[in-house]
Amino acid sequence: MNKTADDQLDRFIDALWLESGLSNHTLDAYRRDLSGFCRWLEDTAGSKLISARRSDIQAYLGARVQQGASPRTTARLLSSLRRFYRFTVREGLRIDEPTRDIEAPRIGRPLPDSLSEEQVSNLLSAPDTTIPRGLRDRAMLELLYATGLRVSELVNLELHQMNLQAGVIRVIGKGSKERLVPMGEEALYHLENYLDQGRAELLKRTDTSVVFPGRAGRALTRQAFWYLIRRHARQAGIHSHISPHTLRHAFATHLLNHG
């Protein structure tokens, strides 16, 4: 890389550090991205970093994709180039911004881990239902799997939201939108079992409307429920990564599998 390009990169990196306070690791990543493009320009297009055209940038990104660069890596490279050329326009080093009309590749969200129906069955059966806490945990797991409730909706569920006779839960979701969620026979059975035999003993005369209380009658936190699921997963012989959302994803997957 020629000295002029090196000086331009130094000036850009210094500006990043002063304006944004980026870490040395991030600054090094910017320098690597831009140095790689600069070397490619000199070797392939016989051009200079400061005068690169839109077509040069597109050709470089295309070459990197052919070499196996992922969409995420390509998007990062484009982001580095875009920030550099915006800097050059701001500093009067050039009048146009060559990355302006180049779209970043779409980066799909990775699907969450899921569980097989056999694994779900083992997980649901893991709590010890001879003790009040096990009755609570079984009811919570059954309800989460059967309804697809969000964890925050489950742990904050209150008695007045449930209609056991109709087998539905009234949930206030995102945007204050109310919806009625059917529980299903299996979840309803375990919920009624817990309410009849376990909840009062867990509360120890504490007055609360929370359906699934933790300590001192307060609602379980999302983190506490996450640890609860992990503990029961280990008991069920499930060693893959698992979270409350895993069960929600399994609920949706198994619904689709059964049409």
Side-chain angles (χ1 to χ4, degrees):
M1 191 167 68
N2 62 62
K3 186 178 186 305
T4 301
D6 205 31
D7 290 342
Q8 290 163 352
L9 281 186
D10 286 341
R11 187 172 166 184
F12 170 64
I13 297 298
D14 287 344
L16 283 182
W17 180 78
L18 288 170
E19 295 169 6
S20 305
L22 301 178
S23 68
N24 288 335
H25 177 76
T26 302
L27 294 174
D28 288 343
Y30 272 103
R31 185 182 290 277
R32 282 195 303 273
D33 288 345
L34 291 163
S35 296
F37 178 54
C38 185
R39 287 192 295 270
W40 181 88
L41 276 173
E42 294 172 353
D43 295 342
T44 305
S47 183
K48 296 180 180 178
L49 181 65
I50 196 64
S51 57
R53 299 165 299 176
R54 180 172 179 266
S55 58
D56 293 327
I57 294 170
Q58 290 175 314
Y60 175 66
L61 295 177
R64 290 300 306 273
V65 169
Q66 288 183 341
Q67 292 168 2
S70 67
R72 190 173 299 277
T73 298
T74 307
R76 193 202 70 234
L77 289 170
L78 179 58
S79 177
S80 296
L81 293 168
R82 181 168 284 135
R83 191 156 187 177
F84 172 73
Y85 286 112
R86 284 177 179 172
F87 166 78
T88 63
V89 171
R90 192 181 71 219
E91 294 294 306
L93 299 174
R94 61 183 293 164
I95 60 173
D96 64 315
E97 203 277 271
T99 68
R100 186 177 57 186
D101 297 323
I102 301 177
E103 291 188 9
R106 293 181 180 271
I107 302 174
R109 291 184 179 179
L111 288 173
D113 294 330
S114 191
L115 299 172
S116 69
E117 294 186 45
E118 181 181 2
Q119 286 176 312
V120 168
S121 178
N122 292 338
L123 175 62
L124 296 177
S125 303
D128 180 2
T129 53
T130 63
I131 59 175
R133 185 172 295 179
L135 288 169
R136 180 201 66 189
D137 293 356
R138 177 70 185 262
M140 293 186 80
L141 290 171
E142 290 279 359
L143 204 56
L144 186 67
Y145 177 62
T147 63
L149 289 177
R150 295 182 179 89
V151 177
S152 57
E153 295 170 342
L154 178 70
V155 297
N156 293 305
L157 191 65
E158 297 189 1
L159 293 171
H160 66 85
Q161 294 176 253
M162 300 188 305
N163 185 329
L164 299 181
Q165 187 172 1
V168 297
I169 300 170
R170 182 171 55 84
V171 179
I172 307 297
K174 291 184 177 180
S176 298
K177 293 182 179 179
E178 181 178 310
R179 68 187 194 277
L180 291 178
V181 182
M183 288 184 263
E185 292 183 6
E186 190 73 12
L188 182 59
Y189 168 79
H190 287 285
L191 178 60
E192 290 179 328
N193 201 28
Y194 156 68
L195 292 174
D196 290 341
Q197 302 180 40
R199 184 172 180 272
E201 191 168 339
L202 281 178
L203 286 174
K204 300 186 185 300
R205 299 180 182 177
T206 302
D207 186 21
T208 180
S209 62
V210 173
V211 177
F212 302 112
R215 293 181 180 179
R218 292 190 293 269
L220 288 171
T221 64
R222 295 174 74 254
Q223 291 79 8
F225 185 60
W226 184 75
Y227 285 119
L228 178 155
I229 283 186
R230 289 190 66 187
R231 185 175 73 250
H232 290 311
R234 287 195 297 269
Q235 293 170 349
I238 301 170
H239 302 293
S240 58
H241 174 74
I242 189 171
S243 71
H245 188 59
T246 306
L247 209 52
R248 287 193 72 219
H249 181 61
F251 159 77
T253 303
H254 298 167
L255 279 179
L256 289 172
N257 290 345
H258 290 283

